[in-house]
Amino acid sequence: MKDVILLRLADQIRSMRAQRGLSQSHLAAAAGVNRKTIIELEKGSAGIALGTVVAVLESMGGELSVVPASKPTTAEVQSLLGLEPSPTLYDRRTTGQMAGKAAHILRRVSSGRTTKPAEPPAGGK
């Protein structure tokens, strides 16, 4: 779980830096650390001092907060294991296939050609 938490922190710091339009060099200068430290932090390296993490976050107007850990997502597990991510629901092929199937179902429903389970005869077995 420790690795997942470090990866989440790294992703949040990288995302915050990008949202603020900062390069790694600019962030490093603002936080008073070297660029290598920012690179290691954004990789999720475990050897960075907590004070350094706080300094980097403060230089971007952020803070560190502690929340209960959640289970890792499939993408996080795949990343930890070095596996290729599997296609998601947002993959164009998958979305296209789902849209085609949904359109087919809607056509069947609107034409009244849906199959319904047989109802038991009234009043008996």
Side-chain angles (χ1 to χ4, degrees):
M1 188 60 134
K2 179 181 80 170
D3 291 338
V4 171
I5 293 170
L6 289 172
L7 285 177
R8 287 177 181 165
L9 178 61
D11 185 54
Q12 290 172 352
I13 289 172
R14 187 180 320 104
S15 178
M16 184 182 275
R17 178 181 60 78
Q19 287 173 353
R20 285 162 174 69
L22 295 170
S23 67
Q24 290 175 331
S25 298
H26 285 111
L27 177 56
V33 299
N34 61 42
R35 183 171 171 262
K36 184 179 177 189
T37 301
I38 301 299
I39 292 168
E40 291 301 310
L41 186 56
E42 290 185 356
K43 283 183 186 178
S45 297
I48 298 174
L50 184 57
T52 301
V53 174
V54 170
V56 169
L57 289 170
E58 284 179 340
S59 70
M60 294 189 289
E63 68 179 6
L64 188 63
S65 65
V66 179
V67 296
S70 60
K71 292 182 180 178
T73 64
T74 302
E76 288 171 332
V77 171
Q78 289 173 333
S79 176
L80 285 171
L81 297 175
L83 301 174
E84 183 102 6
S86 60
T88 65
L89 291 176
Y90 303 106
D91 184 5
R92 287 184 210 172
R93 293 172 308 201
T94 306
T95 304
Q97 291 167 350
M98 289 176 61
K101 185 169 185 150
H104 176 72
I105 292 169
L106 288 173
R107 282 193 299 272
R108 288 186 65 194
V109 169
S110 64
S111 68
R113 293 184 290 160
T114 58
T115 56
K116 295 180 183 175
E119 294 182 21
K125 294 182 180 180

